Amino acid sequence: ANPAWLAMTGRAADEVLARDVLDIIAPDDRERVRRAWQEAATRDSTDLEFRYLRPDGVVRWVRSHASALRDAPSGALLGFVRTSVDITDSLAERAARERTHAQVRALAHRLEQLRALERAELADTLKKELYESLATLKDGLAALRAGTVAAAGADADPAHPAALARLLGQAEAAQERLRRVIFDL
């Protein structure tokens, strides 16, 4: 029970020596740690992460390594040498990083959803505005070529200036819509 370990556990040396070390481990971790330390008696060492519960109610996470201490001639287990490293701050930093990564993943997913929505809206705009404008323009030009200006909405003369002006206006409007769509892209 060195000074650094006593500070980590929030206890005094005489208090620790008077009680079972399992008593200062967080209640939810005690049985798991007890079993692991018992199993360590059959092996040379064990590594664990668990929590110390300090008297002030503060919980400190530790990474503990226990090595069996054996009698050289007989190999009998004499006890354990344990080292504990306080990993509370590291775990908090890891949790913060994981939260940040989860937020970044959520934002990336949302961005991809917005991109898909934008692509769908753009495709809809192209279909509704530009495609329909070009189809009307094509029909008007076909009507002029066939000599029936009625389909283009003008008088009987295929070279009628009003029919040509209307088709030119449709072409300019389609060109302007295309320019807006390209700008949006």
Side-chain angles (χ1 to χ4, degrees):
N2 64 43
W5 184 82
L6 292 171
M8 186 185 332
T9 62
R11 298 213 162 39
D14 57 345
E15 178 187 359
V16 172
L17 295 174
R19 62 192 314 178
D20 185 350
V21 72
L22 285 171
D23 291 343
I24 65 173
I25 294 174
D28 292 345
D29 294 343
R30 284 181 190 153
E31 184 56 30
R32 179 176 57 85
V33 171
R34 185 190 61 72
R35 280 194 316 269
W37 284 349
Q38 283 177 339
E39 291 171 11
T42 62
R43 300 186 312 239
D44 287 333
S45 66
T46 189
D47 291 298
L48 295 169
E49 287 184 6
F50 57 89
R51 296 164 291 177
Y52 283 128
L53 181 58
R54 296 167 43 115
D56 59 6
V58 173
V59 173
R60 300 303 295 182
W61 275 94
V62 296
R63 180 173 295 121
S64 177
H65 177 81
S67 294
L69 184 61
R70 300 189 184 280
D71 179 58
S74 68
L77 180 65
L78 300 174
F80 292 96
V81 175
R82 293 186 182 103
T83 57
S84 296
V85 177
D86 189 333
I87 60 171
T88 305
D89 295 338
S90 297
L91 291 177
E93 290 169 5
R94 182 187 322 158
R97 276 193 311 274
E98 288 171 0
R99 282 191 303 274
T100 301
H101 289 166
Q103 290 171 338
V104 168
R105 283 189 301 274
L107 288 172
H109 179 69
R110 179 65 181 141
L111 179 61
E112 190 53 40
Q113 287 176 327
L114 290 173
R115 285 180 180 163
L117 180 62
E118 186 178 43
R119 284 190 296 268
E121 288 173 356
L122 181 61
D124 191 50
T125 299
L126 287 172
K127 180 180 178 190
K128 285 182 179 174
E129 292 185 20
L130 195 55
Y131 182 80
E132 290 172 8
S133 295
L134 291 174
T136 303
L137 180 61
K138 179 183 165 197
D139 291 345
L141 289 171
L144 277 178
R145 183 174 179 204
T148 60
V149 202
D155 299 332
D157 183 6
H160 192 279
L164 290 175
R166 188 176 357 269
L167 292 174
L168 182 59
Q170 289 174 350
E172 287 173 351
Q175 185 179 22
E176 179 58 25
R177 284 188 201 100
L178 180 60
R179 187 196 63 74
R180 279 194 333 259
V181 167
I182 290 171
F183 179 79
D184 288 345
L185 283 174

